[in-house]
Amino acid sequence: MYTVVLVDDERLTLDNISNYVNWEQMHCRVIATASNGRDAMEKIEALQPHILITDVKMPVMDGIELCKQVHARFPSIQIVFLSGYNEFDYARAALQHGACGYLLKPVDHEELAAMMKIVRQRCDEQKNHHNSTLIKSGEYLRELLQIGGNLLSGLANEVTSIYNQHLHLPADNKTFTFVFISIDEYMLLAENPLLIDAPPNDFSLVERLEFFIAGLPSFIPGVLTKLRDGQWIFATRQSDRAAFEHWRNQNANAMHWISLFLASSPLTLHSFTKQWSKMLQMRKQLVATQGTGLISDDWENMDVAWRKTPFPKTEHLIAAVQQKRRDQAEEWLHDFFDGGLPPGNISQVFVDTKSVFDSLLSAIAANNRQLKDIIVQDAKFFGRLSLMESMQSMKTLMRQILNMMMDELEASPVDRHIELVDEVCGIIQKNYGQVISIEMLAELVFLSPNYLRAIFKDITGKTLLEYVTQIRMDNACIMLRDTNLRIHDIAKRVGYESPSYFGAVFFKRTGLTPNQYRTHAEKGQRA
């Protein structure tokens, strides 16, 4: 739908065109009306429609002056003039100021439809041109940031021109507010789906975050350029940090996983390219030390919190785990991961963590074959560790492994496993109507997800997903049999947002649709 603003000082004409024309059939929508050019200009500045249809002769500001101002400030808006027969020459002369056509009063609906077809074609062309220029500006920006503005001043000027046109800024404007946007732990989130019972084709967390970022220009006018997976540059007139905080706060996942680094003041594109490497480096270091979901407009004045103390001794951690002293293990984790970055940045933390883990595994699992097998088989550990950007994420993952080791050492395998599985079953039975993830269950019982999967299948003979599905279906059967709740409501109560997916799972398990099951149950009760 293209948006339209109508302007005419004759109330009857304005009312007839606004309310008695089938705009939807023409793929258009009237979003505002005005009785003179000055009032129209205020509404155009606020709404920025695609199409302006205006009378020629009006009080305060006539249509020709309105056309001049709109064409100068918003050249992409398509303008159509309205005129009486005695104003024909006047309207024809007005076309020289950028209008794409005119209509004679009283407006004939067929003529209006024919004119709007032409206008829509021009809007389509304008939209395609607009999209192509944005794509081109993105290509140029990526090249500028990679090579540098000094060598490519011509490209910088062209990108600046595109930004000015898109943001309706004067042609001689040179500065913008630049914001570096990143999805923290992008690779980690992309590699590890969070839900164990999501409907087929459901969007992953990373995809939902990407969609959210793609919507930023509709919240704050600007040009969004994707640099690579998980990283964007946003150029805008807006320099208010609070506005970006407000945008990000619309989404709980965004608050946790999206970081924003704002230039402290408007910059030319050339100046921004000179600062880019520092902005990128500071972002990596701050996410590594402070965690995910940061907002900073003072990164230029920050210093990296380099590590001032040596890493705690691995032998101390081995002793804490062997003695099942969780408090001492937690203290060791704090000293290791909260003491700042060592030389070599986050990659060095990964190397040192791997070394600690190897020593720990060799010492603790040497006489415990079952523990060693479980940990060695958990091939995802080092893979996940290598993808992490934040030391806090590494700390969380390492804590899970240590807890798993101490759990295994703390109790006899069979008895302890039965207790753990019973606890997990109890959690699932109480929370089957909510989203249940393997990570959440594992954290609640202090095990790694893979370890929990293994012992759960060993004790129950079912996978966690099979057990969750069984509990949900059992409760769905009870509701179908004993209540008059709608199928849609029952699906939600047992943890399925999609009624169709619930129906498919129910049929696969029972051989009946939910409605068929309810009908059979009612017949059985009557019998």
Side-chain angles (χ1 to χ4, degrees):
M1 287 275 178
Y2 288 116
T3 54
V4 181
V5 168
L6 300 175
V7 189
D8 200 306
D9 63 328
E10 296 178 6
R11 171 54 58 183
L12 182 60
T13 299
L14 201 60
D15 183 63
N16 284 337
I17 298 177
S18 176
N19 298 317
Y20 297 101
V21 169
N22 191 342
W23 290 101
E24 186 173 345
Q25 190 176 48
M26 294 185 287
H27 305 287
C28 295
R29 178 168 60 91
V30 176
I31 57 172
T33 61
S35 58
N36 61 70
R38 182 183 299 169
D39 182 32
M41 196 64 204
E42 292 177 357
K43 293 179 178 178
I44 289 167
E45 288 175 344
L47 301 173
Q48 296 185 21
H50 299 102
I51 302 166
L52 169 64
I53 300 178
T54 179
D55 191 11
V56 176
K57 299 184 69 174
M58 296 179 294
V60 185
M61 180 193 293
D62 66 18
I64 292 181
E65 181 59 29
L66 174 63
C67 180
K68 289 179 182 178
Q69 293 191 20
V70 170
H71 188 65
R73 293 194 55 194
F74 307 99
S76 63
I77 295 179
Q78 304 302 313
I79 302 172
V80 176
F81 278 114
L82 298 174
S83 68
Y85 283 102
N86 59 343
E87 301 165 353
F88 179 76
D89 291 336
Y90 193 28
R92 186 168 55 186
L95 297 180
Q96 299 173 5
H97 297 288
C100 60
Y102 62 87
L103 293 167
L104 295 177
K105 296 181 183 179
V107 175
D108 179 82
H109 286 204
E110 291 185 2
E111 291 181 359
L112 175 61
M115 175 59 68
M116 294 309 296
K117 183 176 180 181
I118 295 172
V119 172
R120 288 199 312 275
Q121 288 175 345
R122 292 186 61 164
C123 285
D124 289 341
E125 292 170 1
Q126 186 72 34
K127 182 178 179 181
N128 292 335
H129 175 71
H130 171 76
N131 290 338
S132 67
T133 57
L134 288 184
I135 291 172
K136 181 168 65 175
S137 74
E139 293 173 351
Y140 290 170
L141 178 61
R142 287 188 287 271
E143 197 164 346
L144 286 167
L145 295 179
Q146 183 176 359
I147 299 176
N150 286 331
L151 300 176
L152 301 170
S153 58
L155 289 186
N157 292 336
E158 189 160 353
V159 173
T160 298
S161 176
I162 293 171
Y163 286 177
N164 285 334
Q165 292 175 21
H166 182 74
L167 297 173
H168 306 298
L169 294 172
D172 59 351
N173 175 69
K174 300 295 183 183
T175 64
F176 310 91
T177 293
F178 291 95
V179 184
F180 178 29
I181 304 170
S182 67
I183 298 178
D184 304 327
E185 309 286 21
Y186 179 88
M187 294 304 298
L188 179 68
L189 295 177
E191 292 289 329
N192 293 274
L194 300 183
L195 301 181
I196 64 172
D197 197 11
N201 303 318
D202 188 27
F203 293 118
S204 69
L205 176 58
V206 164
E207 289 171 320
R208 292 196 293 270
L209 290 172
E210 288 177 331
F211 291 148
F212 180 72
I213 292 172
L216 174 57
S218 63
F219 195 91
I220 300 174
V223 179
L224 183 69
T225 300
K226 185 171 185 178
L227 302 180
R228 57 184 64 86
D229 285 344
Q231 294 184 0
W232 293 257
I233 291 294
F234 187 61
T236 178
R237 295 175 294 178
Q238 178 65 268
S239 59
D240 183 7
R241 167 178 169 157
F244 289 96
E245 286 186 286
H246 181 57
W247 164 72
R248 199 187 66 161
N249 291 350
Q250 308 301 306
N251 185 305
N253 285 325
M255 293 171 61
H256 185 71
W257 295 112
I258 292 177
S259 284
L260 304 172
F261 284 77
L262 291 73
S264 58
S265 60
L267 299 170
T268 64
L269 190 53
H270 176 67
S271 297
F272 175 66
T273 57
K274 291 170 66 177
Q275 289 198 17
W276 168 242
S277 60
K278 182 179 179 181
M279 179 183 269
L280 182 62
Q281 185 64 23
M282 283 303 302
R283 180 260 166 198
K284 290 179 180 178
Q285 293 169 346
L286 290 174
V287 169
T289 55
Q290 298 183 19
T292 59
L294 305 177
I295 295 182
S296 174
D297 55 4
D298 193 36
W299 54 271
E300 297 161 278
N301 301 316
M302 291 182 178
D303 293 321
V304 181
W306 295 112
R307 189 174 192 92
K308 298 178 181 179
T309 59
F311 279 127
K313 293 183 178 179
T314 304
E315 293 79 5
H316 293 170
L317 178 63
I318 293 173
V321 174
Q322 285 176 330
Q323 298 169 29
K324 283 84 72 179
R325 294 299 303 271
R326 298 178 190 268
D327 56 338
Q328 292 181 6
E330 185 63 31
E331 183 178 345
W332 189 95
L333 289 173
H334 172 78
D335 292 342
F336 188 93
F337 290 105
D338 297 336
L341 276 173
N345 209 335
I346 194 70
S347 59
Q348 185 61 43
V349 181
F350 164 71
V351 171
D352 292 334
T353 303
K354 183 179 184 303
S355 176
V356 169
F357 182 79
D358 287 339
S359 299
L360 188 66
L361 182 62
S362 176
I364 301 299
N367 299 316
N368 190 322
R369 183 66 185 177
Q370 183 172 353
L371 178 59
K372 187 174 182 178
D373 287 345
I374 292 172
I375 296 174
V376 170
Q377 290 169 9
D378 191 356
K380 289 185 178 180
F381 173 72
F382 289 126
R384 294 184 69 186
L385 192 68
S386 67
L387 296 173
M388 290 177 174
E389 296 183 275
S390 165
M391 292 170 71
Q392 293 305 308
S393 297
M394 292 185 173
K395 181 180 178 182
T396 299
L397 181 60
M398 192 66 174
R399 181 188 292 118
Q400 291 176 348
I401 296 296
L402 296 181
N403 280 329
M404 183 191 69
M405 288 182 169
M406 288 183 282
D407 285 341
E408 182 61 30
L409 296 173
E410 209 165 51
S412 59
V414 176
D415 292 344
R416 180 58 180 157
H417 290 176
I418 292 174
E419 290 177 8
L420 287 169
V421 169
D422 286 343
E423 185 178 351
V424 170
C425 290
I427 294 171
I428 293 171
Q429 290 165 9
K430 289 180 181 178
N431 300 281
Y432 64 86
Q434 302 173 19
V435 173
I436 299 175
S437 72
I438 186 67
E439 282 78 8
M440 177 268 289
L441 293 172
E443 186 173 353
L444 289 174
V445 295
F446 303 103
L447 296 176
S448 78
N450 277 359
Y451 190 35
L452 179 56
R453 286 191 187 96
I455 65 171
F456 194 94
K457 180 68 180 294
D458 184 56
I459 298 297
T460 67
K462 298 182 177 69
T463 66
L464 269 165
L465 177 58
E466 289 171 345
Y467 184 76
V468 171
T469 303
Q470 173 189 319
I471 296 301
R472 287 175 168 173
M473 293 300 105
D474 290 346
N475 281 276
C477 288
I478 293 172
M479 293 181 200
L480 287 167
R481 187 175 63 243
D482 299 337
T483 74
N484 293 321
L485 289 171
R486 296 180 304 168
I487 305 299
H488 178 85
D489 294 330
I490 292 175
K492 284 193 172 182
R493 290 197 179 197
V494 297
Y496 295 90
E497 284 297 321
S498 168
S500 60
Y501 181 64
F502 162 71
V505 175
F506 189 93
F507 183 85
K508 183 177 179 180
R509 186 167 185 84
T510 66
L512 300 171
T513 67
N515 280 322
Q516 289 172 338
Y517 183 91
R518 173 169 275 170
T519 300
H520 281 281
E522 289 173 351
K523 289 180 179 179
Q525 290 172 353
R526 287 198 296 270

